[in-house]
Amino acid sequence: MDLVPALERPLKNVLGAATAKVMAEHLGLHTVGDLLHHYPRRYEERGQLTHLADLPMDEHVTVVAQVADARLHTFASARAPRGKGQRLEVTITDGSGRLQLVFFGNGVHKPHKELLPGTRAMFAGKVSVFNRRLQLAHPAYELLNGDPDEPGEAVESWAGALIPLYPATAKLESWKIGKAVQTVLPGVQEALDPLPDALREGRGLVPLPEALVKIHRPQTKADIADARARLKWDEAFVLQVALARRRHTDAQLAAVPRVPRPDGLLTAFDDRLPFTLTEGQQRVSREIFDDLATAHPMHRLLQGEVGSGKTMVALRAMLAVVDAGGQAALLAPTEVLAQQHHRSVTEMMGELAEGGMLGGSEHATKVVLLTGSMGAAARRQALLDLVTGEAGIVIGTHALIEDKVQFHDLGLVVVDEQHRFGVEQRDALRGKGKQPPHLLVMTATPIPRTVAMTVFGDLETSVLDQLPAGRSPIASHVVPAADKPHFLARAWERVREEVAAGHQAYVVCPRIGDEEEGTAKRPPAEDDAGKRPPLAVLDVADQLAKGPLQGLRVEVLHGRMAPDDKDAVMRRFAAGDADVLVATTVIEVGVNVPNATAMVIMDADRFGVSQLHQLRGRVGRGAAPGVCLLVTEMPEASPARQRLGAVAATLDGFELSRIDLEQRREGDVLGQAQSGARSSLRVLAVIEDEEIIAEARQEATALVAADPDLTGLPGLRTALDALLDEEREQYLEKG
């Protein structure tokens, strides 16, 4: 939020080119305003020492500690064969633990003079292990009992007893960022306040310039609390105003109201359903039908538990629109899913999906599939059916958005989002209708209310939280393959038992296994250090077919297979012609085989909580109970095992999504790495700050209703422009 011209000054004009270049390249900071909004990660108290006992490996850390002893060693090496090599070893302590610092060669002279026992300093470097002890090699340091003859160098010259520690990089230590902040801090008085005075005073929040001074140079812990409370409101409020303005703009658009005929296609469909809809499905359907009947476009998010019957609700909405003379499009993220949806929709509709064919019902319409890999003839026919209006429903991938796809009268777009759906795509599809179509976004990952308000704040939300009758419970267990190998053997027996009882099973792996030479040998990620590469579908399928599942019909499914092959495998599995499907996460969403009752997830620790919940939802879809086995080699005390334990302990997706969010950073959920890039939320924590987000949404909605152009609020307009620069625009739209 670069707030005013003074804060929009480029850092290179203020700090010098070299520092500004590092800040731009490594921290995404370009202007004075960016730097002022680069807040300290935490604060060290002068009288207190940090915890050396819990330093993270391989991370760049800043610690405040005292020198316990320093020793200079000489040694012989290839470079200094006559024993002239020098190594300085300094041990520092903070009361909780000790840490070794090492300096070599010419780098030993200055620290040898300065780091005397009893000296206190800030040290920054990357934590590594040498001889089973933690150490920092050649750390940068800044003395804390600074020399009064060197003004500006001593950290004591920083105001206050609290030392701010900033998110830093190996190229720029925390205290250098602190000094840069000190340089630009006087300009803070010119910061324009985005919060309306009445709101700020009514909530007892400090003015923005004061908040920025207090967060960077606090005298007391109360200063930090005041500053954070104020800055959280800025983030929540500016974001919610952006979303409220989008809702307001959408509400001004005209759409064709779509009201189903009393005895048309929808009624005929409901009459042939072999079950009654759950109360939740009926309630959500009413919300959707009310929206469809209005003269401005519906924008609704339909979220629900895995298997709560979202597809049924969406299909009824599509039939209502077809009834009213329009067309409906269902957009799926992958071809496997588009084919799966097409299959299940035509099965559910029966003769109602055979419009224009012999045996089709009088109310029937045509349901067409459109994907990128279709043959030319089939594609031509599908496009023709759309432009003439012959097809009331089209199901497809992003191929639907292409220029050459023309609709007769597009009334409703349903997005089955596994990825978010960006504004360009939304606009492209909107352009396909004579007037903007209604929009229904479905998500199978239950989203905590606050995330929904933050990421999908321009959509109204409907929640399906009960499972339809006939759904069976799923038992989930963690299988610790390394500690207890016999548990893994038992897992394969369990699969054989399910197959013997006439059921089927999935085995899910993180990787395909036919990667190009180059990719398969990629160096392990930092957190994978010491772990073997993830298990691959092709290897596991082969081992199972020759080993524990010998004699069963084992098939393989993954994303790089040809579309026809994928479809053929899914059809065989759905028809019961295969016992075990070894697959990647292509089966994660929407795959519906009621006879599949068991799932074994290999290397389960390599999947996110929501993804595991998603995968598990593929079993227990019929009358027989489901079982999901989470196989891992991670040790019992590891965070990964605790995460798997949480998944095994509850089937409540909303509860799991909260756990997921608490364990990961919002950055992952909001689709933006928290690297200090401008678009990350800095002080607002989506789960903890639920109240602020809800209140900010109320305030923003009221403000925009009264003054959509924000005429009297120049500070808020400036903050919005900064929030909605190109990068943010994408972040808000795509999540």
Side-chain angles (χ1 to χ4, degrees), residues 496-511:
R496 293 192 83 99
E497 287 162 15
E498 289 297 312
V499 173
H503 299 304
Q504 292 160 282
Y506 297 101
V507 177
V508 181
C509 304
R511 210 164 56 95

Side-chain angles (χ1 to χ4, degrees), residues 482-528:
D483 316 350
K484 301 181 178 165
H486 59 286
F487 275 40
L488 183 58
R490 174 73 190 110
W492 301 126
E493 281 172 29
R494 196 73 192 74
V495 169
R496 293 192 83 99
E497 287 162 15
E498 289 297 312
V499 173
H503 299 304
Q504 292 160 282
Y506 297 101
V507 177
V508 181
C509 304
R511 210 164 56 95
I512 296 174
D514 63 350
E515 284 82 356
E516 301 299 306
E517 277 299 298
T519 56
K521 293 196 170 67
R522 69 174 180 81
E526 295 274 319
D527 59 342
D528 291 349

Side-chain angles (χ1 to χ4, degrees), residues 466-672:
Q466 24 172 190
L467 295 184
R471 276 305 171 88
S472 303
I474 305 169
S476 305
H477 305 283
V478 178
V479 177
D483 316 350
K484 301 181 178 165
H486 59 286
F487 275 40
L488 183 58
R490 174 73 190 110
W492 301 126
E493 281 172 29
R494 196 73 192 74
V495 169
R496 293 192 83 99
E497 287 162 15
E498 289 297 312
V499 173
H503 299 304
Q504 292 160 282
Y506 297 101
V507 177
V508 181
C509 304
R511 210 164 56 95
I512 296 174
D514 63 350
E515 284 82 356
E516 301 299 306
E517 277 299 298
T519 56
K521 293 196 170 67
R522 69 174 180 81
E526 295 274 319
D527 59 342
D528 291 349
K531 281 163 73 172
R532 57 161 172 71
L535 291 171
V537 166
L538 300 174
D539 305 340
V540 169
D542 191 44
Q543 288 159 14
L544 291 176
K546 290 176 181 160
L549 302 185
Q550 197 170 5
L552 302 187
R553 296 167 299 175
V554 176
E555 294 240 16
V556 163
L557 180 71
H558 59 75
R560 277 212 297 277
M561 290 164 65
D564 291 352
D565 295 345
K566 280 191 273 200
D567 199 39
V569 169
M570 270 322 298
R571 279 179 192 279
R572 283 200 295 277
F573 191 66
D577 296 336
D579 301 317
V580 178
L581 186 60
V582 183
T584 54
T585 53
V586 288
I587 62 154
E588 183 179 346
V589 180
V591 171
N592 186 19
V593 180
N595 190 42
T597 53
M599 175 175 284
V600 181
I601 302 178
M602 307 303 290
D603 281 346
D605 47 275
R606 295 182 190 251
F607 297 96
V609 169
S610 301
Q611 205 174 21
L612 291 169
H613 182 58
Q614 243 352 86
L615 287 164
R616 169 171 65 183
R618 300 303 112 213
V619 295
R621 300 178 79 86
V627 60
C628 177
L629 304 174
L630 306 167
V631 180
T632 177
E633 293 183 359
M634 297 303 278
E636 196 161 356
S638 62
R641 273 284 281 279
Q642 288 162 7
R643 204 169 65 227
L644 295 179
V647 174
T650 177
L651 291 171
D652 180 341
F654 286 93
E655 177 56 30
L656 284 174
S657 66
R658 284 188 81 96
I659 292 170
D660 198 15
L661 198 52
E662 281 159 8
Q663 290 197 341
R664 302 192 296 163
R665 297 200 303 270
E666 285 91 4
D668 306 351
V669 180
L670 302 180
Q672 189 69 44

Side-chain angles (χ1 to χ4, degrees), residues 369-398:
L369 177 68
L370 188 64
T371 62
S373 64
M374 280 168 76
R379 189 178 173 79
R380 244 194 329 274
Q381 184 59 51
L383 291 172
L384 187 65
D385 289 340
L386 286 180
V387 74
T388 58
E390 187 77 17
I393 295 177
V394 58
I395 296 168
T397 53
H398 275 83

Side-chain angles (χ1 to χ4, degrees), residues 58 98 131 154 188 380 401 407-408 445 711:
D58 283 341
R98 295 167 85 80
N131 276 345
V188 81
R380 244 194 329 274
I401 302 173
F407 289 85
H408 176 64
T445 308
T711 38

